[in-house]
């Protein structure tokens, strides 16, 4: 039951307000590890703990965000996988060897706690990065009421370069050369204030102690793009049985996702 409910915990990127324009500023066709020429596309086989399917994303053209030209990433349907969702409907640009993502990332925690984290020049890949170098990090606080529970959500989203590999064999047996790995981590802490029987004043409780709820490892192949992403999502709430408090989402959740490149066009 908990696992089924947790399947709703899917990362969805929501496009920030931006518009297409022919004026250019600091535009690039990307790194050789993620070519961004118009009409480039990638189709992924997706599987998770509960379901399987296929995701596809493509470069639709230019879009202007804060006067700077980006490449717009689109998909024909709502993707299921973390990586495809992370790029869908957002702007991406190259700057000094870094791929920067602009838009907003959203998360439906536990199935009915929608969250949104704005992204501004969040670095998802850097070709020259050394292993363990932090590429980008954002943090903030969201205040949100869910079924009479006032939640305070502290988040940290981080990307980090991992090691390079001369070759890599994907889960489907395909061998790729010249690989660079990147890890993306979402860390959350959630607190709330509740009324507890026999206690005259509201009590502040830690709903979710600080923990990494999402860890994704991306494999980028030269002249191709992202060829494989493994995403693990886990969380464990505090035990409130002593307070006779029932929260409006599952007390724990776990999911494992794989996105494996099936075919692509990367000019």
């Amino acid at each position: 039951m908990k696992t089924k409910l947790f399947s709703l915990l899917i990362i969805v990127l929501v496009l920030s307000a931006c518009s297409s324009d022919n004026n250019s500023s600091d535009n690039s066709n990307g790194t050789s590890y993620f070519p961004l020429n118009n009409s480039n596309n990638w189709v992924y086989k997706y599987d998770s703990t509960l379901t399987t399917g296929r995701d596809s994303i493509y470069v639709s053209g230019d879009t202007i965000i804060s006067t700077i030209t980006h490449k717009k990433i689109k998909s024909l349907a709502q993707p299921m996988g973390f990586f495809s969702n992370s790029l869908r409907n957002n702007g991406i640009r190259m700057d000094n060897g870094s791929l920067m993502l602009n838009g907003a990332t959203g998360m439906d925690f536990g199935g009915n706690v929608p969250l949104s984290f704005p992204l501004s020049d969040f670095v998802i890949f850097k070709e020259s990065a050394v292993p363990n170098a932090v590429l980008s990090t954002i943090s903030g606080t969201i205040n949100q009421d869910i079924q009479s529970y006032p939640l305070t959500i502290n988040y940290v989203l981080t990307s980090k370069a991992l090691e390079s590999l001369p070759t890599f064999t994907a889960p489907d047996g395909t061998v790729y050369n010249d690989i660079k790995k990147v890890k993306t981590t979402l860390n959350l802490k959630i607190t709330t204030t509740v009324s507890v029987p026999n206690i005259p004043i509201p009590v502040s409780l830690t709903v979710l102690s600080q923990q990494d709820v999402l860890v994704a490892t991306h494999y980028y192949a030269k002249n191709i793009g992202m060829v494989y992403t493994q995403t693990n999502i886990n969380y464990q709430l505090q035990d409130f049985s002593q307070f006779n408090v029932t929260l409006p989402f599952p007390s724990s959740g776990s999911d494992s996702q794989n996105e494996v490149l099936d075919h692509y066009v990367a000019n």
Side-chain angles (χ1 to χ4, degrees), residues 141-216:
T141 300
I142 300 170
N143 294 301
Q144 192 162 325
D145 290 342
I146 301 294
Q147 296 184 19
S148 77
Y149 289 95
L151 301 181
T152 299
I153 303 154
N154 295 298
Y155 65 88
V156 180
L157 183 67
T158 304
S159 58
K160 177 187 287 188
L162 300 180
E163 72 273 21
S164 298
L165 303 173
T167 62
F168 166 70
T169 302
D172 65 352
T174 304
V175 178
Y176 297 98
N177 298 317
D178 201 344
I179 296 293
K180 291 185 180 293
K181 295 172 60 178
V182 175
K183 181 170 71 174
T184 302
T185 304
L186 177 63
N187 183 280
L188 294 179
K189 179 181 179 181
I190 304 177
T191 59
T192 190
T193 301
V194 299
S195 296
V196 177
N198 302 319
I199 298 180
I201 61 174
V203 176
S204 179
L205 298 177
T206 297
V207 176
L208 179 77
S209 60
Q210 186 171 348
Q211 56 192 264
D212 294 339
V213 300
L214 180 146
V215 178

Side-chain angles (χ1 to χ4, degrees), residues 70-259:
H70 294 64
K71 289 298 183 180
K72 183 83 163 284
I73 306 298
K74 289 187 176 182
S75 64
L76 296 178
Q78 177 69 56
M80 295 178 286
F82 169 65
F83 179 81
S84 297
N85 267 309
S86 296
L87 271 61
R88 179 180 185 257
N89 284 344
N90 279 282
I92 188 170
R93 70 184 178 95
M94 186 74 171
D95 185 59
N96 293 325
S98 297
L99 279 177
M100 295 183 171
L101 190 64
N102 281 272
T105 181
M107 180 179 187
D108 190 0
F109 184 83
N112 62 352
V113 185
L115 311 176
S116 181
F117 320 118
L119 298 177
S120 178
D121 287 344
F122 186 83
V123 179
I124 63 171
F125 178 86
K126 185 174 183 179
E127 191 165 336
S128 62
V130 298
N132 295 317
V134 174
L135 305 180
S136 214
T137 184
I138 60 168
S139 61
T141 300
I142 300 170
N143 294 301
Q144 192 162 325
D145 290 342
I146 301 294
Q147 296 184 19
S148 77
Y149 289 95
L151 301 181
T152 299
I153 303 154
N154 295 298
Y155 65 88
V156 180
L157 183 67
T158 304
S159 58
K160 177 187 287 188
L162 300 180
E163 72 273 21
S164 298
L165 303 173
T167 62
F168 166 70
T169 302
D172 65 352
T174 304
V175 178
Y176 297 98
N177 298 317
D178 201 344
I179 296 293
K180 291 185 180 293
K181 295 172 60 178
V182 175
K183 181 170 71 174
T184 302
T185 304
L186 177 63
N187 183 280
L188 294 179
K189 179 181 179 181
I190 304 177
T191 59
T192 190
T193 301
V194 299
S195 296
V196 177
N198 302 319
I199 298 180
I201 61 174
V203 176
S204 179
L205 298 177
T206 297
V207 176
L208 179 77
S209 60
Q210 186 171 348
Q211 56 192 264
D212 294 339
V213 300
L214 180 146
V215 178
T217 304
H218 316 283
Y219 295 71
Y220 290 85
K222 191 170 186 179
N223 300 321
I224 297 176
M226 200 288 293
V227 299
Y228 174 57
T229 289
Q230 181 182 51
T231 304
N232 293 309
I233 307 173
N234 296 279
Y235 76 87
Q236 178 67 55
L237 303 186
Q238 298 290 96
D239 182 6
F240 295 122
S241 57
Q242 60 179 313
F243 298 109
N244 195 29
V245 172
T246 301
L247 295 171
F249 36 81
S251 62
S252 64
S254 179
D255 193 18
S256 179
Q257 303 177 0
N258 289 291
E259 296 166 81

Side-chain angles (χ1 to χ4, degrees), residues 59-75:
V59 182
S60 68
D62 292 350
T63 187
I64 305 299
I65 302 175
S66 298
T67 73
I68 298 175
T69 301
H70 294 64
K71 289 298 183 180
K72 183 83 163 284
I73 306 298
K74 289 187 176 182
S75 64

